[in-house]
C-alpha cells in the first residue's frame, strides 16, 4: 500500500504510528483501533461485522497487535456461521445435501445464507441467534421495532413458561402472531412473530382484536380470556411446544439433548463459594485454590460472582457423575467449557483439562486446551468437545489460572 494518508481520518501518515493489515493496506493504528472499538456487536441491531472489515478491500482486519480487539468477534462470526449452516439445512435441505461434499458449492451456499439471514445477539446469554431474514431487518424502522430486551428462545420467559427445554426444542415451538391470534409462520427483527397475512401487510400491519372466550380456540395466556394483539412485545405468546406435548416422559427426552444444552457443574461461578470444587495438590501436597469475588464485568444478567486466581497457579476440579444423568454415558457427546478473562492492568493465563473415567475411576480419555492468554475487557469461551467414550461413567473438569506477572 503506497498511500500517504489514512483513508479513515484522511490525515497524512507523517511520523504517526501506522499498522499494515494482513490484506496489505495501511492505516493509522489509532484509527483502526477506534473503528474496531466502535463496531463492537450489541443487542440493538443485527450482527453485521462490517466495522471489522478493511475499508479498502472488505477483508476482515487482521494483525497480531489487534488480536485482543478482534478475537471475540472472530469467535462470534464462527458461531454465526454454524447457525447459518443449521438454517440452511432446515430451509434448503436438498440444496445443502448436494453441496455438502462440494467445497465450492458449499461455500457459495454459505455466502448466500450470510447475505439473506439476520442474526442477533441475545441480551440474556450474549449468544447469537437466528432472527429472520435480512429483507425484513433492512426495512425502514426494522431495527427499531424490537430492539429492547431482545432475547433468544432459550432466555425468553415466555418460552420458559411453556417449554422445559427451550434451547433444544426451538424448532418445535408454535408462536402466536403478534398482531392477531393466528399461529405465526414468520420471525422478523429478532423477536417479532407474524402470520403470513400480517407479514404481507408489514410495516403497516394493524392489530386484529381477539374475539375472546370460546369463539377463539387458540390457547390464552394464564388468567385471561382474550389475546393481546398489537405492536407491543407484550403481545408475543408461545402457544405450545410440539415436542413437549408429544413426549410421554422426561426420560424420553434424555437421549436427545444437544451438546452444551445443559450445565451439570455445581456452583459454576462461585455463587456458593467453592462448594462442589476441590483443589489439585502438587507433588509437595500443596495447592493454590481459586478465590471468589463479585463480578466487575457481567457475563450475563444473572451471574453476580466469578472465580479469580493470583500470581501463583490456582487449580480446582469437579467431577460430574454422568451415570446419574443419562441412561448410557458411553453414547453421549460431552462439552466441557469455561469463560475466562483477565484484568486490563495485569495480564493472566488460563488453561483447562477434562478426563473421562470408568466406574473404577480409571481415565479412559483425556483432553486439554493449550495455555491461553486471557483477554482484558471481555469474557472468552474455551471449549473441549469429547465424542462418545466406551465405558464412560463420569467426567472431571480441571481449570488452571494465574497472573502473568507480579503486582
Amino acid at each position: 500500500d503506497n498511500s500517504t494518508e489514512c483513508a479513515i481520518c484522511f490525515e497524512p501518515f507523517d511520523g504517526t504510528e501506522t499498522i499494515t493489515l494482513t490484506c496489505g493496506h495501511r492505516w493509522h493504528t489509532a484509527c483502526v483501533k477506534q473503528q474496531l472499538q466502535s463496531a463492537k456487536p450489541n443487542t440493538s441491531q443485527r450482527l453485521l461485522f462490517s466495522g471489522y472489515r478493511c475499508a479498502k478491500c472488505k477483508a476482515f482486519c487482521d494483525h497480531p497487535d489487534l488480536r485482543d480487539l478482534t478475537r471475540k468477534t472472530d469467535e462470534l462470526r464462527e458461531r454465526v456461521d454454524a447457525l447459518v449452516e443449521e438454517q440452511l439445512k432446515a430451509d434448503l435441505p436438498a440444496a445443502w445435501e448436494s453441496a455438502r461434499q462440494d467445497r465450492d458449492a458449499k461455500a457459495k451456499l454459505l455466502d448466500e445464507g450470510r447475505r439473506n439471514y439476520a442474526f442477533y445477539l441475545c441480551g440474556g446469554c450474549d449468544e447469537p441467534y437466528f432472527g429472520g431474514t435480512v429483507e425484513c431487518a433492512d426495512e425502514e424502522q426494522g431495527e427499531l421495532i424490537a430492539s429492547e430486551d431482545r432475547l433468544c428462545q432459550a432466555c425468553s420467559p415466555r418460552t420458559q413458561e411453556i417449554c422445559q427445554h427451550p434451547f433444544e426444542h426451538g424448532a418445535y415451538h408454535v408462536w402466536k402472531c403478534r398482531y392477531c391470534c393466528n399461529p405465526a409462520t414468520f420471525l422478523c427483527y429478532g423477536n417479532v412473530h407474524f402470520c403470513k397475512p400480517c407479514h404481507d401487510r408489514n410495516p403497516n400491519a394493524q392489530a386484529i382484536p381477539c374475539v375472546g372466550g370460546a369463539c377463539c380456540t387458540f390457547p390464552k395466556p394464564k388468567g385471561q380470556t382474550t389475546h393481546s394483539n398489537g405492536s407491543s412485545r407484550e403481545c408475543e405468546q408461545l402457544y405450545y411446544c410440539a415436542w413437549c406435548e408429544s413426549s410421554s416422559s422426561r426420560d424420553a427426552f434424555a437421549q436427545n439433548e444437544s451438546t452444551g444444552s445443559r450445565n451439570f457443574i455445581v456452583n459454576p461461578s462461585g455463587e456458593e463459594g467453592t462448594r462442589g470444587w476441590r483443589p489439585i495438590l502438587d507433588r509437595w501436597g500443596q495447592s493454590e485454590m481459586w478465590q471468589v469475588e463479585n463480578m466487575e464485568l457481567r457475563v450475563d444478567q444473572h451471574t453476580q460472582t466469578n472465580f479469580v486466581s493470583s500470581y501463583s497457579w490456582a487449580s480446582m476440579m469437579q467431577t460430574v457423575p454422568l451415570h446419574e444423568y443419562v441412561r448410557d454415558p458411553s453414547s453421549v457427546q460431552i462439552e466441557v467449557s469455561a469463560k475466562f478473562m483477565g484484568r486490563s492492568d495485569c495480564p493472566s493465563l488460563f488453561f483447562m483439562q477434562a478426563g473421562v473415567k470408568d466406574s473404577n475411576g480409571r481415565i479412559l480419555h483425556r483432553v486439554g486446551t493449550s495455555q491461553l492468554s486471557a483477554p482484558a475487557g471481555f469474557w472468552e469461551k474455551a471449549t473441549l468437545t469429547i465424542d462418545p467414550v466406551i465405558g464412560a461413567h463420569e467426567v472431571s473438569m480441571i481449570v488452571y489460572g494465574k497472573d502473568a506477572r507480579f503486582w
Side-chain angles (χ1 to χ4, degrees), residues 309-330:
S309 61
S310 188
Y311 50 80
S312 296
W313 277 109
S315 61
M316 60 184 182
M317 179 177 78
Q318 184 168 152
T319 298
V320 175
L322 296 175
H323 62 282
E324 294 183 8
Y325 298 104
V326 293
R327 189 173 299 153
D328 180 13
S330 297

Side-chain angles (χ1 to χ4, degrees), residues 33-276:
K33 288 186 174 181
Q34 183 178 5
Q35 173 185 310
L36 296 175
Q37 288 280 7
S38 301
K40 285 184 177 179
N42 58 71
T43 60
S44 66
Q45 294 182 316
R46 67 184 176 95
L47 296 170
L48 292 172
F49 305 119
S50 54
Y52 282 80
R53 294 180 181 271
C54 170
K56 292 185 176 180
C57 67
K58 304 306 179 185
F60 282 104
C61 295
D62 182 44
H63 190 278
D65 291 346
L66 301 177
R67 294 286 158 77
D68 280 347
L69 290 172
T70 62
R71 68 181 186 178
K72 183 180 182 181
T73 303
D74 290 342
E75 292 179 356
L76 183 60
R77 288 194 295 112
E78 291 180 3
R79 299 204 294 277
V80 169
D81 276 352
L83 294 176
V84 171
E85 288 194 17
E86 289 182 14
Q87 202 61 39
L88 288 170
K89 291 175 187 176
D91 293 348
L92 303 169
W96 178 259
E97 187 61 30
S98 63
R100 203 158 54 91
Q101 304 301 328
D102 185 329
R103 178 183 296 181
D104 292 339
K106 182 179 178 180
K108 183 177 181 181
L109 201 57
L110 282 171
D111 192 53
E112 180 181 336
R114 294 184 189 106
R115 291 197 308 270
N116 293 337
Y117 294 142
F119 296 92
Y120 297 85
L121 201 61
C122 174
C125 63
D126 205 35
E127 291 291 330
Y129 70 97
F130 173 73
T133 65
V134 170
E135 183 180 7
C136 286
D138 283 345
E139 287 180 356
E140 185 178 0
Q141 296 184 341
E143 296 290 0
L144 304 178
I145 292 177
S147 62
E148 296 180 47
D149 299 329
R150 187 172 274 135
L151 299 173
C152 67
Q153 293 195 46
C155 292
S156 170
R158 292 177 179 81
T159 310
Q160 295 168 358
E161 291 172 1
I162 303 298
C163 177
Q164 293 183 344
H165 305 281
F167 178 82
E168 51 273 13
H169 287 189
Y172 301 91
H173 291 166
V174 177
W175 286 82
K176 168 191 162 299
C177 173
R178 183 176 284 204
Y179 288 85
C180 72
C181 302
N182 289 327
T185 53
F186 290 85
L187 172 63
C188 303
Y189 318 125
N191 59 357
V192 181
H193 292 86
F194 291 98
C195 65
K196 189 176 188 310
C198 289
H199 183 268
D200 291 345
R201 288 193 293 270
N202 188 55
N204 299 312
Q206 298 294 320
I208 301 175
C210 174
V211 295
C215 294
C216 177
T217 59
F218 296 110
K220 316 292 190 304
K222 187 176 181 180
Q224 297 184 26
T225 58
T226 61
H227 295 107
S228 298
N229 299 332
S231 60
S232 168
R233 64 180 181 275
E234 301 305 320
C235 300
E236 290 284 327
Q237 180 188 344
L238 178 63
Y239 274 153
Y240 62 91
C241 171
W243 186 299
C244 288
E245 293 204 352
S246 64
S247 295
S248 58
S249 69
R250 190 179 182 90
D251 284 343
F253 171 68
Q255 301 297 318
N256 296 282
E257 294 200 61
S258 57
T259 303
S261 59
R262 291 181 66 186
N263 185 1
F264 294 108
I265 291 291
V266 174
N267 185 29
S269 300
E271 303 93 334
E272 302 174 67
T274 56
R275 187 179 78 84

